[in-house]
Amino acid sequence: QKEVEQNSGPLSVPEGAIASLNCTYSDRGSQSFFWYRQYSGKSPELIMFIYSNGDKEDGRFTAQLNKASQYVSLLIRDSQPSDSATYLCAVTGGGSNYKLTFGKGTLLTVNP
Amino acid sequence: EAGVTQFPSHSVIEKGQTVTLRCDPISGHDNLYWYRRVMGKEIKFLLHFVKESKQDESGMPNNRFLAERTGGTYSTLKVQPAELEDSGVYFCASSQDLDPFGYTFGSGTRLTVV
C-alpha cells in the first residue's frame, strides 16, 4: 500500500472554477500535512500546511484535513492559468517531524 | 536572500561512471536534506545533515551513494558507479529549524544514466 496517494490526474479546469485536489495517507501517526506546488523544471514550493482537523484558508487556497478518514485536500478557488502546475501532497509523522513523505503529485491545468 | 543552489542542473553520464552533485544551502541553515524523484515515482527522502553530521541516512538506496557536507556548508552527493536506475531528479533542501515548514528546495539536478 502506497503511503501517500493523490488523485492521479491530470486535472483540467476552466479559469475561474474551483480546482479540488485530494490526498490520502496510510500512516495514522502522520502529524503534519503539506501542499507543495511545482512548476515544470522548478523547485517544489510550499503553499499550504495544516496540522489540525478542519479547514485552513489562505487567500484562494483552502486545505482540509480529516484525520479519521486519513484524508487531506486542497481547494483552489477562482483558478488562474498561473495555477497550472503539479501539486504535491506531503506528510510527516511516525516519529519524524522533518522527513517528508510525498505523493506522486497531480498535474493541474487551468484553461483560459 | 539567495536560495538553495544545485548544480549541475542536468547531467548525462554512462553507466559505470561517477557523478557528483552539489548543493549550496541557504547561508546559516544548519539542516540540509537530499531527496530524489525517480521517473514515475514520488519524491523520496534520502538523507539529512545537521551541520556536517549525518543525522538520518535511512533513505540512501545503497552504498554506491555517498553524501558529504564539508564544514557544515555545501553538500555533495556522489554516485559511484552509476546505474541506469539512478536516473532521476535529485533535490536538495535546507532549513534553519527542524520543521518542514522552513524547507526551501533547490531546483534539482536531473541525472540521466545511459
Side-chain angles (χ1 to χ4, degrees):
Chain A
Q1 182 185 8
K2 293 185 179 179
E3 296 181 56
V4 178
E5 290 204 54
Q6 297 184 238
N7 41 344
S8 57
L11 177 65
S12 181
V13 301
E15 184 175 354
I18 295 175
S20 177
L21 302 159
N22 303 313
C23 174
T24 58
Y25 57 95
S26 61
D27 182 3
R28 283 200 172 272
S30 298
Q31 297 171 339
S32 306
F33 307 86
F34 304 85
W35 284 99
Y36 284 81
R37 177 177 63 198
Q38 187 179 22
Y39 294 112
S40 181
K42 303 295 185 182
S43 58
E45 174 193 10
L46 179 68
I47 54 171
M48 287 288 287
F49 67 94
I50 187 167
Y51 301 137
S52 304
N53 277 327
D55 295 359
K56 179 180 179 182
E57 187 174 318
D58 184 1
R60 295 185 296 111
F61 299 96
T62 299
Q64 300 174 316
L65 174 62
N66 183 326
K67 290 187 177 181
S69 300
Q70 295 176 242
Y71 174 89
V72 58
S73 67
L74 179 69
L75 300 178
I76 305 174
R77 290 182 301 280
D78 188 23
S79 295
Q80 301 297 308
S82 58
D83 295 326
S84 298
T86 295
Y87 289 79
L88 301 164
C89 174
V91 309
T92 63
S96 166
N97 67 340
Y98 62 85
K99 187 187 303 184
L100 292 168
T101 301
F102 283 90
K104 284 189 178 181
T106 300
L107 176 61
L108 171 67
T109 300
V110 180
N111 301 303
Chain B
E1 175 183 75
V4 176
T5 305
Q6 292 187 246
F7 51 94
S9 57
H10 294 83
S11 180
V12 181
I13 62 170
E14 294 185 350
K15 176 182 173 181
Q17 289 186 323
T18 297
V19 63
T20 299
L21 314 181
R22 173 166 169 153
C23 169
D24 285 55
I26 292 173
S27 178
H29 280 193
D30 290 337
N31 296 280
L32 186 148
Y33 317 84
W34 283 97
Y35 284 78
R36 174 176 78 166
R37 183 170 192 154
V38 173
M39 185 174 291
K41 303 276 189 178
E42 60 277 11
I43 297 173
K44 285 197 169 181
F45 171 85
L46 295 179
L47 84 159
H48 168 221
F49 283 99
V50 177
K51 297 184 179 179
E52 67 275 9
S53 300
K54 292 177 190 175
Q55 292 296 297
D56 182 352
E57 50 184 331
S58 61
M60 295 288 264
N62 52 61
N63 60 10
R64 295 185 294 103
F65 289 75
L66 175 63
E68 294 179 324
R69 189 177 183 192
T70 306
T73 56
Y74 70 91
S75 175
T76 58
L77 181 63
K78 180 188 289 187
V79 185
Q80 180 181 29
E83 299 289 346
L84 299 178
E85 64 264 26
D86 301 332
S87 296
V89 182
Y90 290 77
F91 291 102
C92 176
S94 72
S95 68
Q96 180 56 54
D97 299 315
L98 201 64
D99 184 329
F101 176 67
Y103 265 42
T104 299
F105 278 90
S107 297
T109 294
R110 181 174 295 277
L111 174 64
T112 303
V113 183
V114 297

